[in-house]
Amino acid sequence: MRLRALLDTDALGLRLLGGEDELDRTVRGVMTTDLRDPSRYLSGGELVLTGLAWRRDAEDSDAFVRILVQAGVAALAAGEAELGDVPDDLVVACARNRLPLFAVHESVAFATITEHVVRQVSGERAGDLAAVVDRHRRMMTSGPAGGGPDVVLDLLGSDLDLRAWVLSPTGRLIAGSKTTGPALPADVCAKLAAEHLAAARTGRRGPHRLTLGSTTYSLFPVRSSGRSPQGSRDVRETVLSDWLLAVEADAGDWPEERLDLLQGVTQLISVERDRRDAARTVRRRLAQEVLELVQTGAAPAEIAARLRVAAPVLLPGLGAAPHWQVVVARVEWDGAEIEGGPVTQSLLEEILVDPLATGPEPSDRIAVAHTGDEAIALVPLPSVSTEHDGSETGILADVLLESVRDPLAAGLDDDGRVTLGVSAAVHSAEGLRGALEEARHARRVAAARPGRVCAAGHQELASHVLLLPFVPDDVRRAFTARLLDPLRDYDRRHRAELIPTLEAFLDCDGSWTRCATRLHLHVNTLRYRVGRIEQLTSRDLSRLEDKLDFFLALRMS
């Protein structure tokens, strides 16, 4: 804003004492000070407000004014509340150094002037930034990206002092301003993503707000540039794939102009999202071709040839992958006819990315196809480590969903499920068909478990754990009731802790000494409890068959 505009605002109570020829100077900020030398706090372009507490005699005025001029301030405004009229020596010093000088009437608070200047300057900066955002969006739409979303986030930080980040639906950090300081902690990212997904499921319009500790964040959805918010028939078709823009500010008090600006930023980021999806087309097509060959029973040599084509794309510089793993996932919604394949494909691509990886495209080693409602990932592994027991590791199902479970659960609400299965690593094309069936079977094991987000790995397919989920519910209830209900009833009446004793006894492989030590009991007390268990159930815990029955009953209860 211009100094002339300040003088023309009657509510500010400013009276010009000198510098009429300099009223077209631009004001870029405001600062209140009574320091004798405030230069360390000045960056140029400020309107300096002072109550003149720094002035002891006439010589002080000239020194103070020279400091302001050297710092490049726009003008000086002196208050009349303490000393009455502004001293003549200050008027002369300002005239000598061509520094515009205003007198501030005693009835006007410095805070009123500060608020007015900040509001005007912020509005002008927002307008300038909006033009930059619009120009950048047109550039990205018509040609190569001009730095991606990081450039606009930098502008938000430098021009509007807004810290902002782009997050995936699982809470992974995709972009952030270099001027925003340290990256958001992973737990904060996960909570922001969970709030965004939960709010989206309720149909509330953005921005959504969340306060963590003393910090408030405003969350703006980033949708595909080719899809309006009303373009989707059902929010569940996209809720698990849309990015979000998190801004460290409370947008509830923002004017419409600033909200419109942030909507423009989300449109710009959506262009980058669409570009990212287009770049994945090649990998998706390669995965689809390999999947079709595997499912149709093509010769291993043909599959191997296709893998040799895929490996350089998925593993740049390595040329070949000695191991492959297959991951199968499915997203299902209760009572809804939603095509699950594309949604699951996008989600699985995100889940398989290292949660600590940043940037819009860290997933060059992931190729995901979809068939029906399933998404199937072909994951090349440059190397596979071997555990002490001889088993090989790669992607582990029990840790794959660990960092994304809470955000996904919020997006799934009470009517959606994500189930996922992971195969063992295979060494050649001959093993891919078996790996696919193994991953599908593991996913069915995961689907038989309770919970909205479940995964199972190949390690569980050679254990009794595989059988338990497929026991019919009525058989499960009858079996566990017959063995455990008498013990539960006895515990309820006598507080005898027979169930915990049984669990510890089986976990200690029937060792009296180890079990007594674990439970902090005398061995005779333990023998009494086990005898009571046998009496109530008509079973003998020295027999392997009866131990196994109790073990399974506890697992199924």
Side-chain angles (χ1 to χ4, degrees):
M1 66 178 305
R2 306 288 181 181
L3 289 174
R4 193 179 304 279
L6 289 174
L7 192 61
D8 292 341
T9 304
D10 294 337
L12 299 184
L14 296 178
R15 179 163 51 90
L16 183 65
L17 299 181
E20 186 174 359
D21 295 339
E22 307 293 335
L23 291 181
D24 287 327
R25 289 187 181 185
T26 299
V27 179
R28 295 188 175 86
V30 62
M31 177 191 176
T32 298
T33 184
D34 277 314
L35 295 174
R36 296 172 68 87
D37 182 0
S39 58
R40 74 183 70 179
Y41 306 110
L42 297 170
S43 58
E46 295 92 350
L47 170 67
V48 174
L49 306 174
T50 181
L52 301 176
W54 48 265
R55 183 180 178 277
R56 298 291 184 270
D57 52 45
E59 294 180 357
D60 292 337
S61 294
D62 193 62
F64 183 77
V65 170
R66 284 201 306 271
I67 289 172
L68 298 188
V69 171
Q70 290 172 1
V73 303
L76 174 65
E80 297 179 327
E82 292 293 331
L83 303 180
D85 293 339
V86 177
D88 291 338
D89 50 87
L90 181 59
V91 176
V92 172
C94 287
R96 183 185 303 123
N97 291 277
R98 300 181 62 83
L99 179 67
L101 175 64
F102 298 97
V104 182
H105 193 272
E106 61 181 357
S107 63
V108 179
F110 282 176
T112 301
I113 300 174
T114 299
E115 181 180 351
H116 177 81
V117 172
V118 169
R119 186 168 58 248
Q120 295 297 318
V121 171
S122 178
E124 291 178 5
R125 285 184 178 177
D128 293 341
L129 182 57
V132 173
V133 168
D134 185 64
R135 183 171 66 254
H136 199 68
R137 177 162 52 86
R138 291 197 302 271
M139 288 171 57
M140 291 184 67
T141 305
S142 60
D150 302 88
V151 172
V152 180
L153 297 186
D154 283 339
L155 288 173
L156 289 177
S158 62
D159 281 32
L160 296 184
D161 197 26
L162 290 177
R163 290 160 48 88
W165 303 266
V166 179
L167 305 178
S168 78
T170 62
R172 184 175 61 83
L173 182 64
I174 291 173
S177 168
K178 297 180 180 64
T179 63
T180 58
L184 283 178
D187 61 328
V188 173
C189 290
K191 290 175 182 177
L192 294 178
E195 172 64 20
H196 165 71
L197 291 175
R201 285 303 312 274
T202 64
R204 285 189 282 138
R205 295 187 60 185
H208 314 302
R209 286 172 287 166
L210 176 65
T211 299
L212 298 175
S214 59
T215 304
T216 298
Y217 298 90
S218 297
L219 310 176
F220 295 79
V222 178
R223 299 184 174 91
S224 169
S225 60
R227 184 181 73 246
S228 65
Q230 295 79 24
S232 176
R233 296 186 302 274
D234 193 318
V235 67
R236 291 173 293 186
E237 294 181 5
T238 58
V239 68
L240 298 181
S241 59
D242 285 338
W243 289 354
L244 67 139
L245 174 67
V247 181
E248 189 181 291
D250 188 345
D253 299 328
W254 284 2
E256 287 297 324
E257 294 80 6
R258 180 164 290 198
L259 289 173
D260 289 344
L261 168 63
L262 267 294
Q263 293 297 342
V265 171
T266 65
Q267 293 173 16
L268 174 59
I269 296 169
S270 72
V271 175
E272 177 66 26
R273 173 64 190 271
D274 291 345
R275 195 180 305 281
R276 191 286 308 260
D277 285 342
R280 284 187 168 178
T281 301
V282 174
R283 296 196 298 280
R284 288 172 171 174
R285 188 175 67 248
L286 288 172
Q288 198 74 41
E289 291 173 353
V290 173
L291 175 63
E292 290 174 0
L293 291 174
V294 171
Q295 293 191 129
T296 57
E302 187 177 358
I303 299 174
R306 183 60 59 187
L307 288 176
R308 283 194 295 273
V309 173
V313 177
L314 302 177
L315 293 171
L318 295 181
H323 303 87
W324 299 85
Q325 266 183 293
V326 176
V327 181
V328 174
R330 187 166 185 164
V331 176
E332 299 172 285
W333 304 97
D334 298 340
E337 295 184 1
I338 297 175
E339 186 181 2
V343 175
T344 313
Q345 180 184 46
S346 178
L347 179 61
L348 184 55
E349 287 171 337
E350 179 60 38
I351 288 175
L352 288 172
V353 175
D354 182 346
L356 298 179
T358 60
E361 191 51 78
S363 53
D364 289 333
R365 291 175 46 202
I366 300 167
V368 182
H370 71 84
T371 174
D373 288 336
E374 276 186 342
I376 300 168
L378 186 66
V379 184
L381 304 173
S383 62
V384 175
S385 61
T386 302
E387 297 293 310
H388 295 298
D389 60 2
S391 62
E392 293 179 337
T393 63
I395 297 173
L396 300 178
D398 57 349
V399 299
L400 193 57
L401 298 179
E402 185 176 337
S403 64
V404 301
R405 190 178 302 276
D406 290 344
L408 289 182
L412 294 165
D413 199 15
D414 60 354
D415 61 347
R417 291 198 77 201
V418 171
T419 52
L420 184 145
V422 181
S423 78
V426 296
H427 305 263
S428 63
E430 288 88 344
L432 278 180
R433 184 162 189 172
L436 176 59
E437 290 305 315
E438 190 174 55
R440 280 177 166 161
H441 204 75
R443 192 205 65 78
R444 287 193 290 270
V445 171
R449 295 172 175 167
R452 292 292 170 188
V453 184
C454 298
H458 61 91
Q459 302 94 334
E460 302 176 52
L461 302 186
S463 166
H464 66 278
V465 177
L466 169 64
L467 303 176
L468 297 184
F470 298 101
V471 178
D473 288 343
D474 54 345
V475 176
R476 182 195 301 260
R477 286 191 294 270
F479 182 76
T480 57
R482 189 178 304 116
L483 282 173
L484 301 183
D485 278 2
L487 306 182
R488 294 190 179 110
D489 291 341
Y490 192 88
D491 280 347
R492 196 160 38 246
R493 294 196 308 269
H494 302 284
R495 298 182 181 178
E497 297 188 354
L498 296 185
I499 291 289
T501 300
L502 175 61
E503 291 175 332
F505 187 72
L506 294 176
D507 194 44
C508 292
D509 298 323
S511 170
W512 297 99
T513 304
R514 282 194 289 128
C515 185
T517 301
R518 174 182 293 190
L519 296 175
H520 305 289
L521 298 174
H522 192 277
V523 171
N524 289 340
T525 304
L526 176 61
R527 289 185 185 278
Y528 172 80
R529 288 187 183 181
V530 170
R532 179 63 67 184
I533 292 171
E534 292 175 333
Q535 180 185 15
L536 292 170
T537 60
S538 300
R539 296 297 183 108
D540 183 354
L541 277 169
S542 66
R543 298 177 67 245
L544 176 61
E545 293 88 345
D546 287 341
K547 286 180 181 176
L548 181 59
D549 284 347
F550 277 122
F551 177 80
L552 293 174
L554 289 169
R555 282 300 183 95
M556 288 191 294
S557 64

